[in-house]
Amino acid sequence: MSLFATLGRSVALAGLLMVANTAFAELQPTEAQRQAAVEVAESLRYGHYDEVSLDDAWSHRAFERYLDILDGQRAYLLREDVEAFRDLESTMDDALIDGDLERVFALYQRHHERAESRFEWLLTRLDEATTFRFDTDQRLELEREDASWADSQAELDELWLKRLKNAALTQVIGGQDDDQVEANLRQRYEGQLASLRQTEPEDVFGLFMAAVTSSIDPHSEYLSPRQGESFDIQMRLSLEGIGALLESDGEYVKVSSLVPGGPAERAGVLEPADRIIAVGQEDEEKMVNVVGMRLDNVVELIRGPKGSVVRLDVVPAQAVDMTRSKVVEITRDTVSLEDQAAKGEVIEIERDDGVHRIGAIKIPTFYVDFDAWQAGEEDYRSTTRDVAREIERLKEEGVEGIVLDLRNNGGGALQEANSLIGLFIDRGPTVQVRDARGRISLYGDTETGTVYDGPLGVLVNRLSASASEIFAGAIQDYGRGLVLGNPTFGKGTVQTLNELSHGQIKLTRAKFYRISGDSTQHRGVEPDIIFPNLVDPEIIGESSLDNALAWDTVRAVQYRTYGEPWKYLETLKDRHRIRADELPNFRYLERQAELAKSRREKTTSVSLNREQRQREVEAREAEQLALENQRRRALGLDPLEEWIDTRDEESDDADEPVDRAQVQEAAQILLDYAQLDGSYRLANRD
């Protein structure tokens, strides 16, 4: 009998889902956790950058945040469950300040019991049927953060039957037969149930602390002893694994960023916002489904010895449906300083008056070899030193301007951002740092002279963050050059890690401000000329994070300007637009950005009818494929038959890959600027 031919009967079995049916002992807070809660309260009230009041208003926010962490999709708890703990809405502050955690743990206990019963219910549904039918007109709502709490188990049963059906349909469309679908789903739900049953008091306390700190700002965080170990594992993964930082996104594990020069970036098979749905090892044919798995367990599967291969089943960030996944392979490796070193090149531009040369220097991160520096070695490696060497080489080759490529540069050593600015200005302030007491410290370049005083451009994107934003903002404020690309990430806060009697707390203690007085927080740096943005700002960037600190200003400092690039912006934009309309890759980037935005606004549910679902997926992928092939034909490349092959083919487009278009157009804009601004004397060129 079909699992989905008997929906009415299954809904009628709501009696199976009874809170009383629980097989695990009640979880209770420890004395160490109570003391840690008190210390966290003190840290937030007296050490956080923002003025934090742990009062009834905060309690309301923290209570809602705790519910979101426990059951953000409103899929486990009933309205009666939430109402039974409504007292926490005004007493979360007391629970934290006094370390009185019983009610907090009791709410988790209720959720735990509901979730455990739900997974048992799902496994029972799988026991009852092996054949899957998909011929109804049902649709599954994808995002339920704003949904009302269910009034009955029957209401949740109906939701979960749709979820189960969608999970099966996703795999059927992906080519799995009924036996494989059932086996995969059983593995998923048994794994989630087993993980749930391994819950310990430390896990519950960690969830509560996550609600507490994230209700203040997204970068403050409590790390229990075990969470601190997981944090270390994640950091080691970025340096000794595949070079990808991961985060939880509902049931999925999502790539948040790639480590510059790491194995994943070099392989070109992962991108930010990709979702990993299965992990396999090179010597094992079967892959482990990781949907619903804890993040630290997924990280453990991905980690491995240098030189070994890990296989990942990945749903690309741009995929229109979770059915479109692709297995990729990455060889685990360490990330050396050499992999992250700044590297320069010469871009040749042909115009009516001849061939022009513009230098471009890729800066993946702001790094310094601290060990060599502390040991007193004279020739230690650093971003500033490596860029200075590349500048001298490019000057010898007669370039007429230099573009610094900070795309995907997530920051690094602040001292390097300061000293790098010093290569292009003759002493002066670079950034202001305001602490929790309102005291402002001014950092700057103290070295006299410059290494390069010619036309300068800075290329950034949504993944340019922290120190990259400080650098780009200073260059823009000084009028020293043009900032091109996309609005940056917007992380303008500073965190410190402090020990507690039990665990640690990472606390936001200060905020960055540009020399103009504008914060880089939340808004980031707005480029002078904006390029199409393929990174969705709705899911990546400071503004996408809950409770991010606001943008504000402080008093500007005194500084001299080196140029007035804003005088030429209208002319530069007009010339850029004319070129962009003729460049296949730039047209592709623009249309792809428009398409992504349109899909994000329209895709709020998915069909559970197989034929309808396939039609919807095929229509969207046909649109995507047509856009890709339009680009390829304009470049003289062979068209693709399947959209999912796009990433494989990009590596073959050595003549002009898509992301290359931005740095080439940045060079064109910089050449225009150099020619318009008579204050620059162009170097001799071939």
Side-chain angles (χ1 to χ4, degrees), residues 26-27 55 66 94 167 203 373 393 399 466 493 519 547 565 661 673:
E26 188 170 328
L27 297 164
D55 51 19
Y66 192 38
D94 301 319
D203 299 314
W373 175 58
R393 182 177 66 81
V399 298
S466 197
T493 56
S519 173
N547 300 313
Y673 173 52

Side-chain angles (χ1 to χ4, degrees), residues 14 36 43 57 79 116 146 166 203 219 254 359 371 447 451 453 485 506 553 578 587 592 610 661-662 669:
S43 297
R79 186 183 305 278
E116 185 175 23
D146 299 324
N166 180 62
D203 299 314
H219 301 294
K254 182 174 73 175
D371 292 338
E447 297 286 333
V451 172
D453 57 8
K506 186 173 68 170
T553 63
I578 292 171
R587 290 202 307 272
Q592 176 69 18
R610 178 173 181 172
Q662 293 190 339
I669 293 171

Side-chain angles (χ1 to χ4, degrees), residues 114 285 419 615:
R114 294 292 192 193
E285 182 178 348
S419 59
R615 283 195 297 269

